[in-house]
Amino acid sequence: MQSFIDRAFQQGGHLSKLIPGYSPRAPQIQISSKVGQCLEEELHLLLEAGTGTGKSLGYLLPAAMWAVQNNKKVVVCTHTIPLMNQIIKTELPRVQEIIHMENMNLRYMLIKGKSHYLCKTKLNILAREMVQTKTKEAEIIQKIVMKAERENIYDRTEFGFEIDDQLWNRISASMCPSKNKTGECSLERNRVGLSGAHIIVTNHAYFFNDLVLRKKTGNGNLPSYDAVIFDEAHEIEDVCCKAFEKKVDLQQFETLFSQFFNHDQVQRLGVDSRLKLNELHLSFQRKIEDLYEGISQFLSRNHGEQAGFHLMYSKIAVEEICTALGDFIKAAKEMRIKSISEILERLFEGNDNLDFIGQVEKRIMGVLGHD
């Protein structure tokens, strides 16, 4: 590893051939040597470097060589989009060229959350619905269709024109209605691409949310990886806490119920089925509203900052609410309604969070949000 680092960073070496006016920087070489050593010896490393040190290239070169030589997979996490773009558009192309100078090939890929990608199934459905309309929205949809087909674009940032959030949400890969993913599916393409990549670039939030998913299901969206490098690591604590927090929001439940009952497959159910689901929804709604009312009264009776702390470590009776929501989810599943699995999964997750908050012995901090 060290001989490769020397060939890459020394005067007249690989970087000199790629960057006009390049001159070696001792701190950058030290970073690269330490990262290479820790990867080879399976050690942890905490590293701080000032602006202008060139730390990104410093850790990417040994990480790339280690991954390619040993058929390993390294995840590189950033906090900000500018750094992520710098790594993908500037640093990794250089690293790829340097690895090629060593007669090897590096494969790398950027991955973001599902909402950043286009769902062609949803796009085609919306395009068919708007085919006879002359609205501004319909014009943008046609532009997206043409761009996606001609240039094979799936990432929102690559379309080159502004797409309103409300419109994008209707065609993004979040909550895709298609069960069988084809080769045209952006998420399926990502999955295949990730499996063959030596280096995967993502952000802190995606990485920790993937850990949450692995803890819950045993599988994540990221493939198995061998090492992780956190750039901008001072931001990890806040991101990690947000990913693993347990939060229950009444508005969140109502949004999910609204999506459920407005779903075309649900509206096609028979009268008896819809009545049963409505009754179960109302039962849950009454019980959770009673809970919020009880908490509000408790806080009114116990003024001051200590009231919140006392509530946090008090038993919050949520058993009946969890049972009511569980009954709703069970009934919906038994009806075998198509294309609602993700809504039910998010309701189940909310129920799981609510149950956790109700258990004092397992709770570090429970937050009941109510706008």
Side-chain angles (χ1 to χ4, degrees):
M1 177 67 78
Q2 189 58 49
S3 60
F4 161 69
I5 291 170
D6 292 340
R7 289 194 299 275
F9 287 102
Q10 69 188 0
Q11 192 70 52
H14 297 329
L15 278 167
S16 294
K17 296 170 185 174
L18 295 177
I19 304 173
Y22 168 80
S23 60
R25 284 177 281 183
Q28 186 180 45
I29 297 171
Q30 186 179 16
I31 289 170
S32 199
S33 299
K34 279 291 184 183
V35 171
Q37 177 190 353
C38 290
L39 287 169
E40 290 185 323
E41 298 179 14
E42 298 185 0
L43 301 173
H44 294 103
L45 175 66
L46 291 175
L47 187 150
E48 185 176 6
T51 303
T53 304
K55 64 181 184 299
S56 298
L57 194 59
Y59 64 68
L60 285 170
L61 269 171
M65 177 56 78
W66 180 77
V68 172
Q69 279 187 327
N70 300 285
N71 194 27
K72 300 289 188 180
K73 202 176 295 291
V74 179
V75 177
V76 175
C77 299
T78 76
H79 182 67
T80 61
I81 291 174
L83 179 57
M84 181 186 289
N85 289 337
Q86 175 190 326
I87 288 172
I88 283 291
K89 296 177 180 179
T90 304
E91 308 289 15
L92 277 174
R94 283 178 181 165
V95 173
Q96 191 175 48
E97 287 189 66
I98 291 170
I99 296 296
H100 189 67
M101 292 176 188
E102 297 279 324
N103 299 313
M104 289 178 282
N105 295 311
L106 170 69
R107 297 183 299 274
Y108 61 88
M109 185 171 177
L110 169 68
I111 186 67
K112 296 180 277 190
K114 291 191 291 184
S115 63
H116 292 272
Y117 298 101
L118 174 71
C119 172
K120 290 200 76 173
T121 300
K122 291 167 73 173
L123 175 64
N124 291 335
I125 291 171
L126 190 57
R128 286 196 297 269
E129 290 175 358
M130 293 184 167
V131 71
Q132 299 297 332
T133 61
K134 302 295 182 183
T135 63
K136 181 68 175 176
E137 225 176 37
E139 289 179 17
I140 295 173
I141 287 295
Q142 286 306 311
K143 282 178 66 177
I144 294 171
V145 169
M146 292 173 65
K147 192 91 169 175
E149 289 180 352
R150 290 178 181 176
E151 301 179 31
N152 213 20
I153 289 176
Y154 288 82
D155 190 324
R156 181 180 182 178
T157 60
E158 295 179 6
F159 280 96
F161 52 85
E162 190 68 27
I163 304 173
D164 180 72
D165 286 345
Q166 191 172 10
L167 178 60
W168 179 257
N169 290 338
R170 297 172 68 184
I171 58 173
S172 80
S174 291
M175 299 182 70
C176 172
S178 178
K179 285 187 176 180
N180 300 314
K181 306 297 185 184
T182 67
E184 289 190 333
C185 173
S186 57
L187 302 183
E188 182 63 17
R189 283 157 54 96
N190 285 345
R191 186 188 67 79
V192 173
L194 291 174
S195 66
H198 295 110
I199 292 184
I200 297 169
V201 181
T202 189
N203 57 37
H204 295 168
Y206 189 95
F207 179 84
F208 285 110
N209 285 326
D210 187 74
L211 281 185
V212 173
L213 184 62
R214 286 172 185 270
K215 183 180 178 183
K216 186 190 305 182
T217 67
N219 293 297
N221 292 316
L222 288 171
S224 297
Y225 44 84
D226 304 285
V228 183
I229 297 174
F230 293 105
D231 205 332
E232 302 175 306
H234 58 284
E235 302 285 358
I236 285 178
E237 183 179 358
D238 288 343
V239 178
C240 187
C241 288
K242 186 174 181 180
F244 283 92
E245 74 180 358
K246 300 291 185 179
K247 180 178 179 180
V248 176
D249 190 326
L250 183 59
Q251 186 59 49
Q252 171 196 8
F253 280 122
E254 286 311 301
T255 298
L256 290 171
F257 277 118
S258 176
Q259 290 174 355
F260 177 88
F261 284 108
N262 287 325
H263 198 285
D264 58 347
Q265 295 293 331
V266 175
Q267 293 184 349
R268 291 174 187 174
L269 293 172
V271 174
D272 291 343
S273 294
R274 280 185 282 129
L275 280 174
K276 180 179 180 179
L277 290 170
N278 276 319
E279 288 172 3
L280 291 170
H281 173 219
L282 287 172
S283 174
F284 165 78
Q285 195 174 38
R286 283 193 294 267
K287 286 179 169 58
I288 200 167
E289 285 178 351
D290 288 344
L291 172 66
Y292 276 107
E293 180 61 28
I295 290 173
S296 178
Q297 291 176 5
F298 174 87
L299 294 175
S300 297
R301 290 194 304 270
N302 299 274
H303 298 292
E305 295 181 1
Q306 296 302 316
F309 287 103
H310 182 69
L311 175 64
M312 187 174 76
Y313 294 105
S314 300
K315 177 70 175 177
I316 301 175
V318 298
E319 292 85 355
E320 290 187 5
I321 303 172
C322 291
T323 299
L325 186 53
D327 290 342
F328 177 91
I329 295 169
K330 181 181 177 183
K333 285 184 175 180
E334 288 174 348
M335 292 177 189
R336 300 184 180 279
I337 310 166
K338 296 179 180 179
S339 306
I340 61 160
S341 57
E342 188 161 348
I343 298 175
L344 294 181
E345 175 62 27
R346 290 169 67 189
L347 283 170
F348 179 84
E349 183 179 324
N351 204 19
D352 188 53
N353 290 348
L354 187 59
D355 179 62
F356 179 90
I357 288 172
Q359 299 178 44
V360 178
E361 66 276 10
K362 293 184 179 180
R363 188 172 71 250
I364 298 172
M365 172 70 80
V367 181
L368 283 160
H370 189 191
D371 295 332

